[in-house]
Amino acid sequence: ALSRSGKKVLHIDRNDYYGGAEAALSLQEVEAWTDTVDEEPEGNSSAKLGFSRAYSLSLSPQLIYTRSNLLPALVSSKVYRQLEFLAVGSWWIYNHRNARQETQQEEAGATPCTAKLERIPSGREDVFADKSIDLRSARSLMKFLKLAADTEAHPSILEVWGSKPFPDFLESHFGIPPPLQAPLLALTMSPYSPTKTLTLYALPCIHRHLTSVGMFGPGFGSVIPKWGGLAEIAQVACRAGAVGGGVYVLKKGFKTDENPDQQALGREGTRLDEATQLSTVRLEGGEEIKAHWIVGSNWDLPSKLEAVTSEEAVPDYTSRSITIVSSPLSQLFPPSAEGALPPAGAVVVFPTGTLELEHNSDKPQILKDDPSPVYLMIHSSDTGECPAGQCVIYAHTTHPVSYTAACSLLQSAIDRLVASIDESPKPQILWYLHYDQKHTPPATADDYDTNIKCAKISNPHVLKLPDVDPGLVLEDDVLKHVRAAWRRIVGEDEGFMVFGEREGMGEEGVEDGDGEM
């Protein structure tokens, strides 16, 4: 946006790949990356992986709702022409009743039940078509779905129920029983347990889900970018910036060593000339550059730059894993509607209390201390992230107790998903990696100009973008913070991400007559 607004932009990245925390890496690149985060991937020597470049594994996979503010920006900037989006189809929930029945049956020596995944209804037609829902409950669900779609009714509801747990609202206001609350909670994609998922959070999330379905075609309401998710958008944005004159340098970051020369640049690694309003910074390798503005985030700005945060804000940790499976898991990708696009993504939700952990006992125990749910995003080979005949499972949860417990929860969810697949031979896990991501919430919920400021800093020309929310949905706040930084630098609000056609150019950065990039 800045390079296409007449600004000279130098984009430096301490990594040797684009995308930062949202990067997509080959197998070899992931294994090199694990050396920097002290993790070690696991492989299955009895099954064959494809070659390294056959994989493009996302470190932070996120789905994009069709009503996301990012999609219109991609259209107005013309960069959508270099992107391909694929539909996220079915949403599944692990049947918690079956999980408890299985534990009881195993203790009794009986064969446990196998039907553990249930497809979540995505709209009114699906609710009435689901024979497992009685008529009274179906009517209650219909009343709720009608309310969720009506934003004019939300303020009065949230005034009373906003600070209360969402399950309490569903049961007290609509009479929706607990078994039917779990699918609704799943649609919120909440990282919290039911008792910590407030109505103020959940109701807008379900509204977004319901109103997104059908916007770009029948049967789906969210998409994923092909070839590595958000990393592909980052690369396309970099190319668009280069068209506007931006210069990109990989493997180059700020020099942050504690030495006298660096201290001469100030406590935050910059020095502002009051007369010219130019800031001097030193890069790795010793180069000094002058800039009117410095914009970055936690992972690329000098460590002494502190973002403005709320007094209550404390870092939270998200546990993730990436699993490559020797099966396309086709039964998770049924057509979502007649005439719908073939889905390339699916979501499987394991609600709070459905998974078991070893707690220094001979038998696994179901956790009863209200841990967070576990979400699995399954990407088919159509995404370009793995070879045909395989798929990638991205698992996600917030820390329930400890790093070890989180790892066990993710592994348990993956094992149960694979075990539930009715295929012969059974799918095998070819490769597995578990890692954590740290996230610090921004200072305010909606004051984006405040959120991009740095705390206790003498140089007002340094802007720090808040961490991207590590959840499985790309939130609108990401682009709102970027726009706030752009507005601060450019001095106006109109024209953000609105790029005109360049003479002699068909696609963004591709001359007419050239092939696809």
Side-chain angles (χ1 to χ4, degrees):
L2 289 170
S3 70
R4 300 298 290 272
S5 300
K7 304 298 182 182
K8 293 182 179 180
V9 176
L10 172 64
H11 184 160
I12 61 172
D13 194 323
R14 65 174 69 252
N15 300 314
D16 58 358
Y17 51 81
Y18 292 100
E22 287 73 49
L25 307 176
S26 68
L27 280 180
Q28 185 176 358
E29 289 168 337
V30 170
E31 290 174 358
W33 175 79
T34 59
D35 292 338
T36 68
V37 294
D38 196 26
E39 299 290 350
E40 187 68 30
E42 300 176 9
N44 183 348
S45 59
S46 64
K48 293 185 178 180
L49 286 165
F51 59 93
S52 174
R53 288 289 173 187
Y55 300 89
S56 182
L57 305 176
S58 175
L59 298 181
S60 299
Q62 291 185 315
L63 58 84
I64 303 172
Y65 274 106
T66 56
R67 290 194 176 274
S68 166
N69 63 359
L70 176 66
L71 299 183
L74 295 178
V75 172
S76 66
S77 63
K78 311 296 190 298
V79 299
Y80 74 95
R81 296 167 176 171
Q82 296 181 54
L83 293 165
E84 183 176 350
F85 291 94
L86 303 171
V88 177
S90 297
W91 296 55
W92 304 84
I93 188 168
Y94 188 82
N95 190 325
H96 65 286
R97 290 166 294 180
N98 284 342
R100 291 187 172 88
Q101 289 171 5
E102 178 173 306
T103 301
Q104 295 170 355
Q105 290 170 343
E106 287 177 344
E107 291 175 351
T111 301
C113 55
T114 57
K116 301 187 179 84
L117 291 183
E118 295 179 354
R119 194 171 177 180
I120 299 176
S122 60
R124 300 178 181 180
E125 295 80 6
D126 291 341
V127 170
F128 280 114
D130 192 332
K131 302 302 181 183
S132 66
I133 303 176
D134 63 76
L135 185 58
R136 182 177 179 179
S137 296
R139 288 174 177 169
S140 297
L141 283 173
M142 292 302 298
K143 290 180 180 179
F144 168 75
L145 296 178
K146 183 179 179 180
L147 171 72
D150 182 11
T151 53
E152 293 184 359
H154 289 189
S156 59
I157 290 294
L158 295 179
E159 184 178 354
V160 178
W161 291 95
S163 60
K164 298 177 181 178
F166 187 52
D168 293 351
F169 167 64
L170 293 175
E171 188 160 12
S172 299
H173 199 72
F174 291 98
I176 297 175
L180 296 181
Q181 295 172 12
L184 294 175
L185 281 161
L187 294 182
T188 70
M189 299 291 279
S190 171
Y192 313 110
S193 63
T195 57
K196 296 179 181 178
T197 299
L198 304 182
T199 306
L200 181 66
Y201 172 91
L203 191 58
C205 289
I206 293 183
H207 170 80
R208 174 180 58 186
H209 182 93
L210 295 176
T211 56
S212 294
V213 175
M215 186 172 179
F216 290 159
F220 72 96
S222 56
V223 294
I224 47 178
K226 192 174 182 178
W227 309 115
L230 298 182
E232 184 66 9
I233 295 179
Q235 290 206 45
V236 168
C238 288
R239 291 198 290 268
V243 169
V247 176
Y248 290 80
V249 182
L250 296 177
K251 298 184 70 175
K252 180 71 70 174
F254 283 94
K255 184 175 177 62
T256 57
D257 293 339
E258 298 291 344
N259 58 59
D261 291 336
Q262 180 68 8
Q263 291 300 309
L265 294 180
R267 63 175 295 277
E268 62 272 358
T270 69
R271 182 175 60 237
L272 176 66
D273 187 318
E274 295 290 348
T276 64
Q277 290 295 293
L278 287 173
S279 297
T280 300
V281 296
R282 183 170 296 145
L283 305 181
E284 294 171 346
E287 306 98 326
E288 286 192 3
I289 61 172
K290 296 182 184 298
H292 287 284
W293 292 90
I294 302 166
V295 185
S297 55
N298 278 324
W299 57 271
D300 56 5
L301 283 174
S303 58
K304 288 190 175 183
L305 294 178
E306 300 174 1
V308 174
T309 59
S310 63
E311 294 181 0
E312 298 80 12
V314 293
D316 53 45
Y317 293 86
T318 295
S319 279
R320 295 183 180 274
S321 71
I322 305 174
T323 305
I324 302 172
V325 180
S326 66
S327 165
L329 303 183
S330 302
Q331 69 187 66
L332 297 179
F333 300 96
S336 50
E338 185 177 353
L341 295 172
V347 178
V348 180
V349 183
F350 288 77
T352 293
T354 60
L355 295 171
E356 301 168 346
L357 292 178
E358 292 285 354
H359 283 297
N360 300 321
S361 64
D362 295 331
K363 292 182 178 293
Q365 302 293 321
I366 296 177
L367 280 178
K368 298 180 181 179
D369 52 355
D370 213 18
S372 301
V374 173
Y375 294 92
L376 306 183
M377 286 183 64
I378 298 89
H379 289 193
S380 74
S381 60
D382 291 342
T383 60
E385 297 175 19
C386 64
Q390 300 178 11
C391 71
V392 182
I393 302 174
Y394 296 103
H396 171 285
T397 191
T398 54
H399 273 197
V401 180
S402 65
Y403 175 91
T404 302
C407 183
S408 297
L409 278 175
L410 296 183
Q411 189 62 61
S412 177
I414 294 164
D415 290 344
R416 288 188 176 277
L417 172 66
V418 172
S420 72
I421 300 301
D422 186 16
E423 288 182 3
S424 182
K426 278 290 185 182
Q428 288 183 296
I429 293 177
L430 306 181
W431 188 92
Y432 175 83
L433 172 68
H434 173 251
Y435 56 99
D436 275 0
Q437 286 184 328
K438 180 182 177 181
H439 170 252
T440 302
T444 70
D446 53 11
D447 187 348
Y448 304 103
D449 292 302
T450 296
N451 291 343
I452 62 174
K453 296 178 181 178
C454 291
K456 302 175 184 178
I457 181 172
S458 59
N459 189 345
H461 288 249
V462 178
L463 304 179
K464 192 167 190 176
L465 299 173
D467 293 342
V468 175
D469 188 287
L472 292 180
V473 177
L474 180 66
E475 300 293 346
D476 285 351
D477 285 353
V478 174
L479 200 62
K480 290 178 180 178
H481 283 121
V482 171
R483 184 167 190 158
W486 179 86
R487 182 170 56 244
R488 181 81 177 276
I489 295 170
V490 176
E492 58 186 49
D493 196 42
E494 297 300 320
F496 175 69
M497 292 292 286
V498 179
F499 304 163
E501 295 284 1
R502 288 173 56 85
E503 185 178 351
M505 294 289 180
E507 296 189 356
E508 184 68 40
V510 183
E511 295 186 8
D512 290 337
D514 284 1
E516 295 182 0
M517 292 187 72

